[in-house]
Amino acid sequence: QVQLVESGGGMVQAGGSLRLSCAASRSIFSFNNMGWYRQAPGKQRELVATITSDGITSYADSVKGRFTISRDTRNTLSLQMNSLKAEDTAVYLCQGRLGREYWGQGTQVTVSS
């Protein structure tokens, strides 16, 4: 019933920027919290950033100061990624929690060095 669709991924050179979007089939404010995860080659899924129902954000140390999670519109969650590094290459997934967890299918981000 709840659908999350990521977009905005692509290929960018190191030092560049990308903005990812997560379109939800319902208001993102109805979720208890939302977040962005990533799955990099040879690594386990990693929590990148979260935002609580009251707007409190949290970031992984590896992206702190470079990435920003925000509520873009009533139905859209965004992740602004600046100063991208090759290590940021991964499939990025949007997650929303409302009693249970909902996931998008992911969008590929490739950073060339």
Side-chain angles (χ1 to χ4, degrees):
Q1 185 174 18
V2 175
Q3 296 182 0
L4 300 174
V5 181
E6 303 93 337
S7 64
M11 180 175 287
V12 64
Q13 67 179 38
S17 299
L18 282 175
R19 186 177 182 85
L20 305 183
S21 294
C22 174
S25 59
R26 62 185 296 161
S27 172
I28 62 173
F29 298 97
S30 67
F31 291 96
N32 293 325
N33 51 64
M34 299 194 76
W36 286 94
Y37 289 73
R38 66 186 181 187
Q39 181 74 56
K43 294 186 177 181
Q44 295 183 316
R45 183 171 295 177
E46 173 189 23
L47 175 62
V48 176
T50 61
I51 184 166
T52 67
S53 58
D54 53 350
I56 304 301
T57 59
S58 183
Y59 301 90
D61 289 339
S62 59
V63 307
K64 197 171 299 181
R66 299 188 298 118
F67 291 11
T68 303
I69 187 172
S70 63
R71 299 159 175 153
D72 196 18
T73 70
R74 182 172 61 85
N75 292 87
T76 307
L77 179 74
S78 296
L79 182 69
Q80 178 65 46
M81 306 185 294
N82 298 326
S83 302
L84 284 162
K85 306 174 180 179
E87 307 91 86
D88 295 319
T89 295
V91 172
Y92 284 73
L93 304 106
C94 177
Q95 174 252 106
R97 182 176 293 118
L98 182 62
R100 55 155 288 186
E101 293 185 351
Y102 297 89
W103 295 87
Q105 65 182 68
T107 184
Q108 177 71 49
V109 170
T110 302
V111 184
S112 60
S113 59

